[in-house]
Amino acid sequence: MVWRWRPGRVLALGARGERVRTLQETLAALGFDPGPIDGVYGLLTRQAVRECQRRYGLVADGVAGPQLHRLFREPALRLGPSQALLGLLPPGEAGPWARWAGAYPALSAFVWSSRLASWEPARIELAAKAWSHQLAEAGAGTPAAPPWIWRLTFGPPQGAEAPAGNGREGTEAGRRPEEFPLPWSGPGRRARRALVAAITSVVDRFRPLGVDLDLEPVWPGEGRRWVHLLAALRPLLERRGRLLMATRDLSRRPRIRPAWADDLPMGLLLQQVHLLILARRAVAGLSPPGPLGTAALAGLLAGLGRAHAYKVLVELPLEALRWTQGEDQPLTGPDPVPYREAKVAAITHGRRIEWDDEVGAASFRLRRGSRVEQYWLPSVRSVERLLEQVRARRLAGVVLAPLGAEDPRLSRFLPGPLHPWRPTQAGPGDIPPAAGA
């Protein structure tokens, strides 16, 4: 069913016709009760429109106008009771993806990530050639390839520091330093044109379900550059029937004071993309248990209104985390560790893995000489509790990151309490109406 709209046409109490019938069918498909599907805009239809407007943060006037039309065109809204169950492939994974599809049959799609380390147009062109070569080796774009999403990250790898004097210290009040390495800023006009051309060329050849831009860190004064990039990409991807996504890592998001200095707030970003991924990744300095457990998920979604939940996915870490403390040394970490490696360490040293119900994750502690190591593990039990919260909050889905580092029992447990979206090579066209319909 495709929701079509004629400019200037507003449906209100008393309207009749085929468009009213389409509106009633759409409301019924979303779980609202418009009364009989008879093409008459009556009191029950008006009440259903009001309930829909309240749920998704619109003015509840009972009139089906342009705002409701834009809402119905959102691909994420049409997931209905299903969720997107995505899995992040390990960094540097270049082999055929068929084996991953066989190991994780419950996943909706895989996420393949690549990195852009410079805004120079010449380097963007070279990077696009490298991406195409890697995707061709992985078998992307072929009929046998599983559905996949392309994540594009920017800047140096996590943990690489900017040269002294070129960092972002002192930017809380919105001050922008005179000089800093290019990868840490937003794209300028020339870089934006080159990047849009590179992305569209890769999308046309390998046909991912969508493109995910990992935006953090976004510094004061740089948000408008990212908005311009998203605004340039969205119509191009919609014409191709692809999704535009963005990822915000709240662990790396700068604390901007005052709030008005943040020129890329969450509400503005949600307007620019089809889906938003919220993550809280392990970075140096986080205290235990870090981003693991149900308590971390509650913090991740703090401040997110129910009206926008249908467009939000959360990234769930699958790796165990290790903190280390030595004599007369501060606590350091977290260091990501594969679940199997952490489990072997516990068995080797005879340590019992205990479940912390308040955190929603398992943990143990062991001693190596003068060092004390504390591990927190995302077991199948903790992942199950997280997925139950995702379903209860009516989120768009989850990203499991990274595959291959999780509890070995997880692949047999999935999809757990979720009803995964089952896309085909048609991409978001499986969600009526498709993006750009």
Side-chain angles (χ1 to χ4, degrees):
M1 178 176 59
V2 177
W3 173 252
R4 303 191 182 279
W5 188 265
R6 285 182 290 179
R9 185 69 183 273
V10 175
L11 300 179
L13 186 64
R16 295 171 178 268
E18 190 62 31
R19 292 181 50 75
V20 177
R21 181 184 295 273
T22 303
L23 171 65
Q24 292 171 331
E25 292 173 349
T26 303
L27 290 169
L30 294 175
F32 302 99
D33 182 13
I37 310 297
D38 55 5
V40 178
Y41 201 117
L43 294 177
L44 291 177
T45 301
R46 183 176 67 175
Q47 182 61 27
V49 169
R50 283 178 175 171
E51 292 176 0
C52 179
Q53 291 169 328
R54 288 193 192 99
R55 176 178 294 181
Y56 297 108
L58 305 180
V59 177
D61 56 6
V63 176
Q67 286 188 332
L68 199 63
H69 158 60
R70 286 193 292 269
L71 176 69
F72 288 162
R73 289 183 61 190
E74 289 286 351
L77 186 70
R78 310 304 300 208
L79 283 171
S82 302
Q83 293 85 24
L85 186 57
L86 311 179
L88 177 65
L89 294 172
E93 174 61 32
W97 293 345
R99 63 187 183 94
W100 291 99
Y104 300 91
L107 295 184
S108 303
F110 296 91
V111 179
W112 180 81
S113 61
S114 58
R115 182 173 295 276
L116 180 64
S118 174
W119 290 127
E120 296 181 14
R123 295 193 177 185
I124 293 176
E125 185 178 351
L126 290 175
K129 294 179 180 179
W131 300 332
S132 298
H133 178 71
Q134 295 169 4
L135 290 170
E137 287 186 342
T142 62
W148 67 286
I149 291 171
W150 179 23
R151 171 175 289 179
L152 189 56
T153 58
F154 304 92
Q158 186 172 331
E161 299 293 339
N166 288 342
R168 289 290 187 170
E169 296 81 8
T171 60
E172 287 199 353
R175 183 176 65 84
R176 184 175 185 271
E178 293 297 328
E179 295 181 357
F180 54 89
L182 281 175
W184 293 87
S185 67
R189 183 176 301 177
R190 292 177 61 247
R192 183 168 65 247
R193 291 174 180 170
L195 182 58
V196 169
I199 290 176
T200 52
S201 66
V202 173
V203 169
D204 289 340
R205 179 178 176 185
F206 297 102
R207 300 186 62 78
L209 294 178
V211 176
D212 173 29
L213 303 185
D214 196 341
L215 303 182
E216 296 301 341
V218 178
W219 301 98
E222 300 293 340
R224 58 183 177 82
R225 297 192 176 193
W226 293 107
V227 171
H228 291 160
L229 175 61
L230 295 171
L233 273 176
R234 178 161 177 161
L236 296 176
L237 294 178
E238 285 183 344
R239 286 199 292 269
R240 291 164 170 80
R242 310 291 108 181
L243 294 170
L244 176 60
M245 307 167 64
T247 296
R248 299 212 79 167
D249 181 4
L250 301 188
S251 297
R252 300 172 60 208
R253 186 181 184 187
R255 291 186 178 181
I256 302 174
R257 297 289 186 274
W260 55 260
D262 185 1
D263 52 353
L264 190 58
M266 201 71 72
L268 177 60
L269 184 56
L270 282 165
Q271 294 176 13
Q272 304 297 322
V273 299
H274 298 124
L275 291 170
L276 175 64
I277 300 173
L278 295 181
R280 188 167 179 256
R281 298 168 184 153
V283 296
L286 284 181
S287 57
L292 301 182
T294 52
L297 178 62
L300 189 65
L301 300 176
L304 178 68
R306 182 184 177 187
H308 296 128
Y310 75 100
K311 294 185 71 171
V312 173
L313 297 90
V314 292
E315 186 173 293
L316 303 183
L318 298 180
E319 292 178 307
L321 298 179
R322 176 181 61 203
W323 282 263
T324 305
Q325 187 171 20
E327 293 183 359
D328 301 325
Q329 293 182 354
L331 185 70
T332 59
D335 300 315
V337 178
Y339 180 94
R340 188 185 298 272
E341 180 180 330
K343 190 73 175 288
V344 169
I347 295 174
T348 303
H349 292 80
R351 307 305 298 176
R352 181 181 178 183
I353 301 177
E354 299 180 349
W355 173 262
D356 189 319
D357 194 64
E358 182 177 353
V359 174
S363 68
F364 69 92
R365 181 177 296 184
L366 58 85
R367 180 178 292 274
R368 297 179 188 266
S370 61
R371 296 183 307 163
V372 175
E373 297 179 352
Q374 183 178 7
Y375 291 79
W376 285 89
L377 299 84
S379 63
V380 168
R381 181 179 177 184
S382 62
V383 173
E384 180 180 13
R385 292 183 60 176
L386 290 168
L387 295 183
E388 288 174 352
Q389 286 203 21
V390 168
R391 184 183 63 176
R393 292 173 180 262
R394 297 184 178 181
L395 300 180
V398 297
V399 181
L400 304 175
L403 298 178
E406 73 279 359
D407 185 337
R409 298 169 294 175
L410 182 63
S411 61
R412 298 191 299 270
F413 163 77
L414 293 175
L418 300 185
H419 301 281
W421 167 44
R422 295 296 184 186
T424 65
Q425 294 296 333
D430 298 327
I431 311 178

